[in-house]
Structure formats: structure tokens, C-alpha cells
Amino acid sequence: MKILILGAGGREHTLAWKLAQSSEIDALYAAPGNAGTASIATNIPIGVNDFEAIKQAVIAHAISMVIVGPEDPLVNGIHDFFLKDAALKNIPVIGPQKAAAELEGSKEFAKKFMIRHQIPTAAYQSFTAENLEEGYAFLEGLTPPYVLKADGLAAGKGVLILNDIEEAKKELQQMLVAAKFGTASATVVIEEFLKGIELSCFVLTDGENYKLLPTAKDYKRIGEGDTGLNTGGMGAISPVPFADEVFMTKIHDRIVKPTVEGLQKDNLPYKGFIFIGLIKVNEDPFVIEYNVRLGDPETEVVIPRIQNDLVSVFKAIANQSLDTVELKIDPRTATTVMAVSGGYPEAYEKGKEISGLNTIKDAVVFHAGTKPENEKILTNGGRVLAVTAFGSNFKDALEQSYKNIEQLHFDGMYYRKDLGFDL
Ligand code: AMP
Ligand code: GLY
């Protein structure tokens, strides 16, 4: 089987690494990929939103399945594009159709979905420029901190949490009237602030059947002790130690099951991963957000714990027989620590040579922002490398991740040394 993975991050390298272990793989492609995917697959230099170029590549290489890494192409309707094209319609795409991808593409859509299916989430109201004054009044009725969310995709930057009412009003005005996040903030969801510890739950569905994948927790802030700016994620741990059986049953019964059933009731075709961002308030789970893809760096700890042949699992999604698959999960804990470019998440330099990759023995290094050049591997993004290791608990696993990341080097390299501090 010939499989194409769309994307260029640590998530996509991890998927490629796992798929490459399957005896069913004849050829693996990544578009556009990075230096990590280039070592086990063929990189094709096309963008994830260039559907015509993707079509040409799929035909040229006789690709028989496409795995979509990031959300953009899903929200832009890549799955629908395949279904509508005579030459592509029988090639399975792992990722939901456009209508279902709105769960990530529109926060308001996601909130309405949760209310309709009685899935626990923060109370909210949404506003546009026409009812800005009502938005101010709604803010005044809340207790701080105030949570403002741009409705559309804003590259992970569209959520603001503010302590001061005047600042919250100013930001609301900036988002709605001054288009702070472009058209993404033409509608703003204002919601109740929930206090608790966050975790993520991953679900794989074929639209009818579903499987729960391992839980994970990521560390979003750049600084130790969860301080400083938000990043794409500085590291992750799976499983989440506080997600015990009682709590997981609540997540399943109150959130996962009604989500998959809700997709069916609403006629939202979904074959792919659902990433549910959760918060534990006292002993109860609430949904913070849905993503219609795997998380990054959560993938770097979730996928290595799955012991099944991933090609078989994806085939079962394609032909809607996921009920026949029995998932085998490695009981050990996996951790990943992200090495980032100096300055990230603000301005940073690219093109720094990476050394030490060949000395890593007790961990797997997944590439995020890297590119091959001649015989060298250079940095090519903010998040550069994710070092994944296993252990009998998260402390042991982290010790391995840290021991190995110390062998790696590039100019300006930074990583957080305190992952797991809150557990
Ligand atoms: P999102 O892009 O929806 O994941 O939001 C980004 C981050 O904002 C989340 O990971 C949470 O840390 C925080 N957040 C979002 N919504 C809420 C909420 N209602 N209460 C508290 N924190 C929130
Ligand atoms: N690590 C968070 C995300 O992938 O959205």
C-alpha cells in the first residue's frame, strides 16, 4: 500500500515512523514533510492546502490512502474534494469531511453542538460587531477572568484570557470591529472561566464505531512553571496520571459517547481522529475545545504507545469496521520534550545545524521544524525536535527524555526542564 501523509511537523514524522513499521507499506510519502520524514519516506514539496497539486501527486505515485495531519486542509474540505473527484473518490482520506471539521473550524459551531447533545462545557454567548454593546453587558455580568475566543481558525492564538473588565471590553472591540484575527474574529465566543487541570483525550472513529486512544497532557507555555507566552506545545506525557478509571468512565459516558452519537445524529461524516481538550473541574470533566486531528506534541506520546499495525487500523476506519479492531496499548508511560529555537514563540532564526542525532539510543527523536541540506540537518521552525522516551511512570520516562535531549545541540536550543511539575 502507498500512503501519503499531509503535514510537516512532529505529528507527521511520528505517524510516518509508525506506518513505516507496517508490513503492508510499499511506499510512504509526506507533503511537504521535514528531515525526519525524508529519512523514512519520500517528501513531496507541495503545500497541504494545494488540493490540485495533491491530486496530481496522488495520481502520479498511485497513492491509495491519504492521512491528514493538520486542521487547515480538513476545514478547507480536502476530504470532500476527494469524494467529489472521479479519479480520487475511492481513495480513503483519514480526517473528517468539511461539515464535521467545523467542530474545530468554528468555536460557535462547537458550542452549539455541545449544547444540543448535552455535553458538559463552559456557559457561553457569542457576539458580532452588530451586538458589541450586548457583549459588553454580558462581560459585566461575568466574574473575572474573562475568556474571549475568536470563532474561526487563528493558528492557536485566538483565545484571550483577561483579568480586567476594561481590557476585556477593549479586546472584544479589537476582535469584532478592528478584525484583530481577521475574519476569524468576526464572531467572538465569550465563555465562563473554568478552573482546573487540563488533559486531552483522543478518539478514533469510522463514523459509527469508535475507540478511545491514550490520554495525554501537553505543556503549552514557553516558560517553566507554566509561565510566559503560549506555544504549540513544549512537551507531553501519556497517560495522564490523574485520569483514573472513575474519571475515564465519566469522560466516556458524558463526552466521548455523546460526541460520536451527536456526529451521527447531525449527519456529520467523520472518519478520523477527534482530539478533545478537557478540563477537570473538581472531579468532573468539561470540554474546552474540539480539534479534528491529532495534537502536536501529543501524537509523539500517544502513537508510540499503540502496539497495533497502524495501517490495519486506518483500513478499518476506511471500510467502517473499527469494531473488529482490538487496540493494544503499551502500559508504560511515554514522555516527549520539545527542543525549540531561541526566541520562539516570538522571532527566531532558522538554518542552524543540528548535531548529536546519531548518538541517541534510549529514545526516539521526532523531527518538527527541520530540513535536510546536503549531508546536514538544519533547523527550519520554532519547534525543532521532540525527544520521546518510555518509563514505568512519568518521572522515569522524563528522566530518559532529558538524558537524551542533552545529547542534541543547535545554536540557541531551548527546552523546558520542568515537565510534569504539576502532576
Ligand atoms: P483553546 O484554543 O480553546 O484550546 O484555548 C486555549 C487555552 O485557553 C486552553 O488550553 C485553556 O488553557 C484556556 N481556556 C480556554 N477556554 C477556557 C475556559 N472556559 N476556562 C479556562 N480556560 C480556558
Ligand atoms: N498541542 C496542542 C495542539 O496540537 O493543538
Side-chain angles (χ1 to χ4, degrees):
M1 189 162 198
K2 295 180 178 171
I3 296 187
L4 169 64
I5 301 164
L6 293 182
R11 167 181 51 212
E12 288 76 20
H13 183 200
T14 310
L15 286 166
W17 169 85
K18 180 69 180 163
L19 289 168
Q21 294 166 23
S22 169
S23 58
E24 293 193 66
I25 290 285
D26 298 314
L28 205 50
Y29 297 88
N34 57 30
T37 60
S39 68
I40 44 176
T42 304
N43 284 355
I44 309 175
I46 50 181
V48 297
N49 288 306
D50 190 347
F51 296 176
E52 271 307 324
I54 292 167
K55 172 180 172 176
Q56 296 314 322
V58 164
I59 293 168
H61 299 289
I63 283 159
S64 48
M65 182 182 279
V66 178
I67 319 292
V68 186
E71 63 277 14
D72 287 42
L74 294 166
V75 173
N76 292 337
I78 191 161
H79 196 148
D80 311 63
F81 175 85
F82 270 63
L83 290 173
K84 280 188 207 124
D85 189 292
L88 302 178
K89 67 174 195 281
N90 294 319
I91 297 170
V93 174
I94 304 301
Q97 287 175 50
K98 189 177 167 73
E102 280 298 279
L103 277 186
E104 179 166 1
S106 164
K107 303 264 186 210
E108 189 183 27
F109 179 91
K111 292 302 271 191
K112 286 185 173 156
F113 176 88
M114 288 184 265
I115 304 297
R116 190 158 60 241
H117 300 294
Q118 292 163 349
I119 295 166
T121 188
Y124 85 105
Q125 266 191 47
S126 51
F127 300 92
T128 60
E130 275 85 75
N131 55 8
L132 179 65
E133 294 297 328
E134 286 164 48
Y136 291 158
F138 184 69
L139 281 171
E140 273 164 5
L142 295 174
T143 43
Y146 306 95
V147 184
L148 309 185
K149 300 186 172 186
D151 177 57
L153 291 185
K157 296 190 170 65
V159 176
L160 301 179
I161 298 181
L162 306 151
N163 286 311
D164 181 74
I165 181 75
E166 290 313 318
E167 210 184 326
K169 286 183 183 172
K170 198 180 105 207
E171 290 292 354
L172 182 64
Q173 197 265 352
Q174 286 290 311
M175 288 167 92
L176 292 176
V177 182
K180 178 167 180 150
F181 300 105
T183 52
S185 64
T187 298
V188 171
V189 166
I190 301 181
E191 67 179 39
E192 163 202 16
F193 181 83
L194 298 177
K195 192 166 166 45
I197 188 161
E198 288 178 56
L199 73 156
S200 298
C201 147
F202 296 89
V203 180
L204 198 44
T205 181
D206 61 12
E208 195 178 301
N209 312 289
Y210 62 93
K211 300 281 174 188
L212 245 81
L213 302 179
T215 55
K217 179 173 186 358
D218 82 334
Y219 289 82
K220 288 200 175 72
R221 303 296 194 94
I222 188 74
E224 290 176 3
D226 282 345
T227 54
L229 293 172
N230 258 322
T231 71
M234 297 296 291
I237 293 175
S238 173
V240 180
F242 62 80
D244 58 14
E245 220 177 296
V246 174
F247 191 61
M248 287 311 294
T249 303
K250 289 181 187 170
I251 292 177
H252 172 265
D253 296 352
R254 299 178 192 176
I255 293 167
V256 175
K257 191 162 179 275
T259 295
V260 177
E261 287 174 358
L263 289 168
Q264 285 169 26
K265 283 183 200 150
D266 294 352
N267 217 351
L268 298 169
Y270 208 119
K271 285 176 187 267
F273 293 97
I274 315 173
F275 163 175
I276 313 178
L278 300 167
I279 190 161
K280 181 177 181 235
V281 182
N282 301 319
E283 292 305 316
D284 296 316
F286 287 78
V287 177
I288 291 275
E289 64 166 348
Y290 286 110
N291 294 306
V292 297
R293 51 170 173 89
L294 279 171
D296 195 348
E298 292 90 336
T299 305
E300 289 90 308
V301 289
V302 169
I303 292 291
R305 294 187 61 219
I306 299 174
Q307 294 172 323
N308 302 59
D309 178 318
L310 199 56
V311 176
S312 315
V313 177
F314 285 155
K315 278 164 87 175
I317 293 180
N319 57 35
Q320 213 160 57
S321 60
L322 198 56
D323 53 324
T324 64
V325 171
E326 197 188 326
L327 281 185
K328 291 190 280 297
I329 306 296
D330 192 323
R332 293 176 300 166
T333 292
T335 57
T336 201
V337 179
M338 191 67 81
V340 306
S341 298
Y344 174 79
E346 296 185 279
Y348 57 85
E349 290 176 11
K350 296 183 190 177
K352 309 286 184 196
E353 185 176 352
I354 301 167
S355 62
L357 289 165
N358 296 328
T359 64
I360 304 297
K361 288 200 187 69
D362 320 313
V364 189
V365 182
F366 294 116
H367 291 227
T370 68
K371 68 169 181 188
E373 202 170 275
N374 303 320
E375 297 300 295
K376 295 177 179 169
I377 293 180
L378 305 181
T379 67
N380 193 38
R383 293 191 296 167
V384 178
L385 300 164
V387 181
T388 296
F390 280 98
S392 51
N393 56 48
F394 77 88
K395 286 187 180 135
D396 291 350
L398 277 169
E399 204 180 300
Q400 285 298 321
S401 283
Y402 283 125
K403 204 176 88 193
N404 284 282
I405 205 169
E406 281 163 20
Q407 318 277 325
L408 302 174
H409 179 80
F410 54 86
D411 251 14
M413 177 174 130
Y414 166 78
Y415 57 92
R416 268 182 66 170
K417 299 188 175 64
D418 70 332
L419 299 191
F421 78 97
D422 53 343
L423 296 174

